[in-house]
């Protein structure tokens, strides 16, 4: 069992920056893939960025160069540093964990454990 608790979401202006945090706990979670997903009402939950236990990272094309995922193992915390934010980045952001994401790093169905979400709103 893995538990995830997100924080850091808020309203920011376009062009601004924000860092999301996700405290992760549970047995053997350090072997898992960890990821950030986002969802707007009426749409699918999309993978934004993931990191595996070897440190490999994968990003959604639209956030490459703007978002950075990292994992501070000592603090048991997953981060998503977001910069040059755009109104289309507005969404509920979720962190998630998967035992194995070889079937698709950004694929929602690969992930078993989810946090409760944190809202990011980017105003124009």
């Amino acid at each position: 069992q893995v538990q995830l608790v997100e924080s850091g979401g808020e309203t920011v202006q376009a062009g601004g920056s924000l860092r999301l945090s996700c405290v992760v706990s549970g047995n053997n979670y350090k072997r898992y893939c960890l990821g950030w997903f986002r969802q707007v009402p009426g749409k699918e939950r999309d993978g934004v960025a993931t990191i595996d236990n070897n440190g490999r990272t994968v990003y959604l094309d639209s956030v490459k160069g703007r978002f950075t995922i990292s994992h501070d193992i000592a603090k048991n915390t997953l981060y998503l540093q977001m910069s040059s934010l755009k109104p289309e980045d507005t969404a509920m952001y979720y962190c998630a964990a998967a035992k194995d994401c070889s079937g698709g790093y950004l694929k929602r169905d690969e992930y078993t454990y989810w946090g409760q979400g944190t809202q990011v709103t980017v105003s124009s």
Side-chain angles (χ1 to χ4, degrees):
Q1 193 76 7
V2 176
Q3 295 81 40
L4 307 107
V5 180
E6 305 97 332
S7 63
E10 60 181 72
T11 299
V12 296
Q13 287 193 332
S17 298
L18 196 61
R19 189 177 76 164
L20 304 182
S21 301
C22 174
V23 177
V24 189
S25 60
N27 292 334
N28 299 318
Y29 93 86
K30 294 180 177 64
R31 301 179 185 176
Y32 286 29
C33 288
L34 300 175
W36 288 97
F37 289 72
R38 67 186 182 188
Q39 187 172 23
V40 297
K43 293 192 175 182
E44 295 288 320
R45 189 173 296 185
D46 294 327
V48 175
T50 63
I51 185 167
D52 69 12
N53 61 340
N54 293 312
R56 180 192 176 196
T57 57
V58 177
Y59 293 92
L60 182 68
D61 283 346
S62 62
V63 307
K64 285 180 181 177
R66 300 190 298 122
F67 290 12
T68 302
I69 188 171
S70 62
H71 180 203
D72 187 330
I73 295 175
K75 294 183 178 180
N76 294 322
T77 304
L78 179 73
Y79 298 102
L80 184 67
Q81 178 68 49
M82 304 184 291
S83 60
S84 303
L85 282 162
K86 305 175 181 180
E88 51 264 43
D89 294 319
T90 295
M92 183 72 78
Y93 282 72
Y94 299 88
C95 63
K99 283 187 177 180
D100 179 8
C101 54
S102 60
Y105 275 65
L106 297 177
K107 191 176 178 182
R108 174 188 175 176
D109 291 345
E110 295 289 306
Y111 291 77
T112 305
Y113 303 101
W114 295 86
Q116 83 287 352
T118 186
Q119 177 68 37
V120 173
T121 302
V122 184
S123 60
S124 58

